[in-house]
Amino acid sequence: MRLPRKSRKALRAPAVGAVSAALLAATALGAAPAAQAAPERGAVAARAGASVRFTDIPGSGGITLKGNVFTPGGAGGTGRHPVIVLPTSWAMPQLEYVAQARQLADAGYVVVTYTSRGFWLSGGKIETAGPADIADASKVIDWVLANTPADPARIGMAGVSYGAGISLLASGFDKRIKAVVAMSGWADLTESIYGGRTQHRQAAELLGGLGKLTGRPGDELQAILKDFLGSNLAKEQEMLDWGAKRSPATYLDDINANGAAIMLGNAWGDTLFPPDQYAKFYERLTGPKRLELRPGDHATAEATGLLGLPNAVWANARRWFDHHLRGADNGIDREQPVQLTSRTDGGYESYPSWAAVDRTRRTLPLDGTRSIRAGVDSGANGGTVLLSNALDQFLRLPPMVPVPLLPRAHAAVWQSGPYAAAQRVRGSVKLHTTLTSDKESGTAVAYLYDVGPLGLGKLVSHAPYTFHGKEPGRPFGVDLPLLSTAYDVPAGHRLALVVDTVDPLYIAHNPDGARLTFSSPEEDPSSLSVPVRD
């Protein structure tokens, strides 16, 4: 594999991936550790004439990757076939994609799934989508071309979470990849887990713990996680560089030059890889592209598909590959490329671009001054990683809080009046305010709530913000975009902005006794800019 010149220089170390919510799906498929010890060369019959065999695949650097190969059978098994390569998610074994791989093989694809290096029985250490993982993807493509009836001109890659990140990165380094479907992945690693200059504690702890449980973390990954979770700000630039070098956005020019058709899918409430970083990346892609955003948390939108159940994400992934690898005239290229699903009613909406989503904005003034003591959780929070937004997806139960009962000593609160008509919030709400702290460092977390007549607030969106090196007592401006969403505020309800200083999702940097004051100077008034769909 020959790396583009700029990328060879930049890509030297690993990248962090994500755990798939499909752990349950894989368990249901029988993906126990012993399952990977199946005979390496034995073939077993799959439905509709397709065959599957467990096999060893040479990886980069001389390691062995554990894989499955699904080959079309019967009348559809002759000649050359389009190929789809599926790297596994973080902490997942090779059987993660069995149900989908069988369906794709039944439809005439050669499908190869493999356990990413460092996990389970694959060799090496966890390189977290580093150069060795990208080289592995090309080695797998080499192997499938040499050992299956694969068509070298029709190669695709796909994956959930970690597999999505590897697939996107590989498309910038291997010109043979013609189409990619990246589900619940990342485009900008730094923005994903360090957005607002705030460590995403629960996400990092979950990834680190599952890496140790199911694999062999590399030394660099362990060092980065230790510095990150330990708030070692002396290593901040090193951590930022580490994240940038393993973000697909860093290699955007290479990805665009190679021209793969790229479909991105994510959930509004993804607590590992929030949707905004995907949307920004999508806007800068120049080849065939598609962006789908749905309710849920990390990988929950795709999870039922991993069980072989009907699933809109996997159905559209299949359509994407059918069109771009098989030339099927299925209409996906004529649909508007940005497809959104509302958290409120599950309705689909389509747009010509991400910029068109929040084209109309309304301003909510944030008058007066609010002063709060830091270091105490007011009760407002973004929920629990993986759980809270899954409850929102399936039961319409986002994190909730009684807004009138929030302690004003520890939570700054502003509310709109009741709206005469429903407010269909689409995109990213943007907060602008003036902040004064009596300490040089601090963390604030902003929450937007839909407040009903009884004062119960349902979380619409939120975002953390951390500052360092500020002069105590000197005001400074803050511009904070909240995480994008699609949420309808009913008529008669209010919007409430709540700001406090503690959230279990994040690591806060508030010294003992710190006080934060939010003001709205006449020359620079504070406001909330709300994107709405008319």
Side-chain angles (χ1 to χ4, degrees):
M1 179 185 69
R2 180 175 176 81
L3 304 184
R5 183 176 304 165
K6 179 181 70 176
S7 302
R8 291 199 302 269
K9 180 179 180 181
L11 185 59
R12 295 174 181 167
V16 87
V19 60
S20 172
L23 285 166
L24 295 176
T27 301
L29 288 168
Q36 296 200 62
E40 296 300 331
R41 303 296 176 186
V44 295
R47 62 188 181 189
S51 64
V52 55
R53 61 188 171 111
F54 298 90
T55 187
D56 289 344
I57 301 175
S60 64
I63 72 158
T64 296
L65 302 169
K66 296 296 182 178
N68 301 326
V69 182
F70 297 77
T71 307
T78 60
R80 293 287 175 178
H81 302 276
V83 181
I84 298 176
V85 176
L86 296 160
T88 58
S89 303
W90 186 270
M92 293 296 292
Q94 71 206 55
L95 296 183
E96 176 184 12
Y97 301 114
V98 163
Q100 287 298 324
R102 281 178 168 172
Q103 293 179 20
L104 289 165
D106 291 346
Y109 289 90
V110 171
V111 184
V112 179
T113 77
Y114 68 94
T115 304
S116 301
R117 68 164 51 222
F119 289 105
W120 298 95
L121 297 182
S122 279
K125 293 187 177 182
I126 300 173
E127 300 292 339
T128 47
D133 285 292
I134 298 168
D136 284 345
S138 286
K139 291 284 284 186
V140 171
I141 292 173
D142 293 342
W143 184 91
V144 73
L145 292 177
N147 293 277
T148 72
D151 185 343
R154 297 185 291 168
I155 297 172
M157 285 193 71
V160 175
S161 183
Y162 194 47
I166 291 174
S167 297
L168 274 179
L169 284 162
S171 72
F173 293 88
D174 195 322
K175 294 182 178 181
R176 296 174 295 180
I177 300 169
K178 304 303 181 185
V180 172
V181 176
M183 297 168 273
S184 293
W186 75 92
D188 187 324
L189 180 61
T190 302
E191 183 176 340
S192 294
I193 63 171
Y194 196 46
R197 207 180 175 187
T198 307
Q199 298 107 305
H200 295 206
R201 181 207 304 270
Q202 289 186 11
E205 289 177 343
L206 180 63
L207 294 172
L210 284 169
K212 290 181 179 179
L213 181 66
T214 61
R216 301 166 300 282
D219 293 341
E220 187 170 12
L221 172 61
Q222 294 187 69
I224 287 292
L225 282 174
K226 180 179 179 181
D227 290 335
F228 185 80
L229 292 171
S231 299
N232 185 358
L233 295 180
K235 296 289 187 71
E236 183 181 43
Q237 190 58 52
E238 181 179 326
M239 290 185 282
L240 293 174
D241 293 341
W242 185 88
K245 289 177 182 177
R246 50 206 49 84
S247 296
T250 302
Y251 312 102
L252 180 71
D253 290 344
D254 297 321
I255 293 170
N256 283 335
N258 288 348
I262 295 177
M263 172 179 155
L264 305 172
N266 206 350
W268 293 117
D270 194 319
T271 43
L272 299 185
F273 304 131
D276 298 77
Q277 47 92 31
Y278 244 18
K280 293 175 186 177
F281 180 73
Y282 165 83
E283 284 288 82
R284 297 173 63 200
L285 290 171
T286 57
K289 59 184 179 178
R290 183 178 177 93
L291 174 66
E292 298 185 358
L293 297 175
R294 292 177 170 82
D297 208 308
H298 185 67
T300 61
E302 302 90 6
T304 56
L306 294 173
L307 288 168
L309 301 174
N311 181 276
V313 184
W314 284 101
N316 284 339
R318 166 79 173 278
R319 294 175 63 218
W320 190 254
F321 284 129
D322 283 349
H323 179 73
H324 291 285
L325 297 183
R326 307 181 68 167
D329 185 13
N330 56 20
I332 197 166
D333 58 318
R334 295 188 293 275
E335 296 172 359
Q336 294 203 90
V338 176
Q339 300 283 324
L340 310 182
T341 305
S342 168
R343 289 171 49 199
T344 308
D345 61 11
Y348 284 88
E349 301 170 1
S350 60
Y351 300 83
S353 67
W354 177 250
V357 173
D358 65 357
R359 181 169 46 197
T360 302
R361 287 185 167 270
R362 293 174 184 157
T363 300
L364 176 64
L366 303 177
D367 298 326
T369 298
R370 310 284 193 279
S371 185
I372 59 176
R373 283 286 181 189
V376 175
D377 190 345
S378 71
N381 65 70
T384 302
V385 66
L386 294 184
L387 176 61
S388 296
N389 291 307
L391 290 174
D392 182 39
Q393 175 186 0
F394 296 111
L395 301 176
R396 303 288 194 270
L397 291 175
M400 292 181 278
V401 67
V403 173
L405 300 182
L406 290 173
R408 283 358 188 218
H410 304 291
V413 181
W414 296 261
Q415 290 193 77
S416 72
Y419 289 102
Q423 304 295 298
R424 298 191 292 174
V425 180
R426 299 292 185 272
S428 175
V429 174
K430 297 178 180 179
L431 167 64
H432 173 74
T433 189
T434 295
L435 174 59
T436 306
S437 173
D438 59 0
K439 308 292 183 183
E440 61 93 21
S441 295
T443 296
V445 187
Y447 309 90
L448 184 67
Y449 287 100
D450 160 22
V451 184
L454 298 179
L456 183 64
K458 296 182 177 181
L459 187 64
V460 177
S461 184
H462 80 285
Y465 174 81
T466 294
F467 59 90
H468 297 288
K470 296 297 184 180
E471 180 181 339
R474 183 171 183 175
F476 59 93
V478 173
D479 289 288
L480 179 63
L482 276 59
L483 300 178
S484 290
T485 193
Y487 183 97
D488 295 349
V489 179
H493 286 214
R494 305 168 184 263
L495 281 174
L497 176 70
V498 177
V499 182
D500 72 2
T501 60
V502 176
D503 191 308
L505 285 172
Y506 308 109
I507 293 177
H509 293 262
N510 293 302
D512 291 341
R515 180 177 289 277
L516 303 182
T517 300
F518 302 90
S519 59
S520 182
E522 184 177 347
E523 66 277 9
D524 185 21
S526 296
S527 64
L528 200 66
S529 175
V530 182
V532 293
R533 185 180 187 189
D534 295 326

